[in-house]
Amino acid sequence: MKQREPLVRHIFTADPSAHVFDDKIYVYPSHDIAHGGEDDDDGGEYQMEDYHILSMDNLEADCVDNGEALHMKDVPWVSKQMWAPDVARKDGKYYLYFPARDKEGIFRVGVAVSDSPVGPFKAEPDYIKDSMSIDPAVFEDDNGRYYMYNGGLWGGQLEKWQTGEFVMGDPDMIPGADGPQGDEAALGPFAAELADDMKSFKETPKMVQILDENGEPLKAGDEDRRYFEGPWVHKYNGLYYLSYSTGTTHYLVYATGTDPMGPFTYRGRIMEPVLGWTTHHSIIEYHGKWYLFYHDCELSNGINHRRNVKYTELEYNADGTIKTIFPYDHLDKQDTV
Ligand code: FUB
């Protein structure tokens, strides 16, 4: 596969969570549906119903679509919208974590299990107890402990969980108006350690703090830096990197910390905006180099809910900061050749 080109073209894919298992690369994306509906501020255009897992023998090899791994109809608690998933491997089993709306329209996170990284996966009958909101990402620490990070504003309902209970608020309000505003502290993603069974939390999820350079929580009005959705955690030189999308300003940014539960301090931008409203990523190390998996709307020419996943190399500076990626600068270079 070539860097910065769609990994597959026969289906629309988004929100890639990439992993390396036994020296192969596996990508767990959302499977976008090409309907003709309009966009709304509640994510109503993202009507996904199933998951297809992609794999590559190496980064130059063709990307394989391994077919349907899990469908909504086989998950008893789900009503609609199977959004961005992730996976974790433990003791030879693969655990697929996925968000979807339950029968009351509330986003929850479910889990499905397989003996194979590409499925098929068998879903647990109910969502994970105490789970809420969207975009689960599971990080396996060097000590064998697993942590789930998740949450997303607006359509992802994160601001509805501020009190620990789901509060619907007024659906006719401006999106996010029932969350913190202006100089109030921004919300962060939820994080919780997974229990040994990988199907429950060891503790009630807590909101992770993301601080600025002065040790103060990022403000809700700081839309260039505050958390919106799509968390990912990786470790580099002993430091935990929490990266995420800023949503309304369309950046991928990161913060670092010394504890997987935070707090994290904002450090900078990983990627400038891509074509399309959403931006969502994952980061892996493969054969000694680091790669960013992400999506844009190249194949659909900018239709927000018809996305395609890609990858590109990610580089660090000597001080551990990440070099900002300009997703289309390779096209400028081609033009000048
Ligand atoms: O794919 C649906 C939603 O769009 C994801 O859950 C968000 O992260 C955004 O990419």
Side-chain angles (χ1 to χ4, degrees):
M1 289 307 310
K2 287 211 179 104
Q3 295 198 32
R4 303 193 186 188
E5 291 199 353
L7 291 191
V8 292
R9 293 169 180 270
H10 64 294
I11 54 173
F12 291 110
T13 54
D15 309 325
S17 291
H19 289 269
V20 180
F21 296 128
D22 304 323
D23 208 41
K24 269 180 81 164
I25 299 130
Y26 295 88
V27 183
Y28 298 79
S30 300
H31 176 197
D32 280 350
I33 291 182
H35 60 80
E38 296 288 309
D39 290 3
D40 65 38
D41 285 328
D42 209 21
E45 65 270 38
Y46 302 107
Q47 288 295 341
M48 298 81 109
E49 295 179 352
D50 66 359
Y51 296 111
H52 283 226
I53 289 143
L54 310 177
S55 58
M56 291 185 282
D57 284 344
N58 56 65
L59 283 168
E60 281 74 49
D62 285 346
C63 186
V64 175
D65 171 3
N66 294 281
E68 187 178 285
L70 180 68
H71 194 280
M72 197 172 87
K73 67 176 165 34
D74 298 318
V75 191
W77 62 269
V78 167
S79 65
K80 61 178 181 175
Q81 294 183 304
M82 290 176 99
W83 286 7
D86 192 19
V87 81
R89 175 167 71 172
K90 185 182 177 190
D91 299 334
K93 292 219 178 294
Y94 297 82
Y95 297 86
L96 181 74
Y97 299 94
F98 57 95
R101 286 189 196 257
D102 68 9
K103 306 285 186 203
E104 292 169 31
I106 300 175
F107 268 108
R108 303 285 188 172
V109 178
V111 58
V113 188
S114 177
D115 291 327
S116 159
V118 296
F121 284 86
K122 171 119 182 65
E124 291 295 297
D126 206 353
Y127 54 77
I128 299 176
K129 185 173 171 300
D130 294 332
S131 69
M132 73 296 272
S133 199
I134 59 167
D135 292 356
V138 175
F139 165 69
E140 179 186 354
D141 209 344
D142 315 322
N143 56 10
R145 294 165 79 165
Y146 294 80
Y147 299 85
M148 182 188 289
Y149 303 83
N150 79 297
L153 295 174
W154 301 6
Q157 304 174 332
L158 180 58
E159 66 275 20
K160 317 267 188 217
W161 287 100
Q162 290 173 87
T163 61
E165 299 290 318
F166 184 81
V167 180
M168 180 41 112
D170 177 355
D172 294 330
M173 265 198 301
I174 298 166
D178 41 6
Q181 306 292 314
D183 283 347
E184 292 173 326
L187 302 180
F190 283 108
E193 189 175 347
L194 289 169
D196 289 344
D197 67 359
M198 299 294 275
K199 298 174 183 171
S200 56
F201 296 128
K202 208 173 234 178
E203 56 202 351
T204 310
K206 292 185 195 62
M207 209 168 257
V208 167
Q209 269 204 318
I210 307 173
L211 309 174
D212 67 13
E213 59 284 4
N214 301 314
E216 298 294 328
L218 290 181
K219 296 180 170 47
D222 186 355
E223 295 186 29
D224 282 355
R225 302 194 295 175
R226 64 93 179 82
Y227 179 81
F228 191 91
E229 63 185 3
W232 186 261
V233 169
H234 75 281
K235 206 171 182 179
Y236 177 74
N237 282 349
L239 206 57
Y240 297 92
Y241 286 64
L242 165 68
S243 41
Y244 54 91
S245 162
T246 61
T248 49
T249 48
H250 319 291
Y251 299 119
L252 289 176
V253 300
Y254 71 104
T256 59
T258 54
D259 187 308
M261 295 297 290
F264 294 90
T265 301
Y266 181 87
R267 299 291 293 279
R269 260 182 221 168
I270 296 177
M271 193 180 238
E272 295 289 318
V274 292
L275 177 64
W277 200 94
T278 63
T279 184
H280 189 122
H281 76 298
S282 59
I283 294 170
I284 57 167
E285 184 180 14
Y286 185 70
H287 291 186
K289 288 185 167 191
W290 290 83
Y291 296 92
L292 177 87
F293 283 72
Y294 64 103
H295 69 229
D296 70 8
C297 299
E298 178 188 323
L299 288 181
S300 69
N301 240 331
I303 299 176
N304 285 330
H305 70 271
R306 299 184 195 181
R307 300 165 289 180
N308 48 263
V309 299
K310 301 180 167 183
Y311 80 93
T312 191
E313 193 174 343
L314 173 145
E315 294 175 289
Y316 299 88
N317 295 304
D319 64 358
T321 53
I322 293 175
K323 293 185 181 171
T324 307
I325 297 165
F326 295 81
Y328 305 109
D329 64 351
H330 61 297
L331 300 177
D332 299 342
K333 280 177 200 142
Q334 275 172 11
D335 286 347
T336 55
V337 171

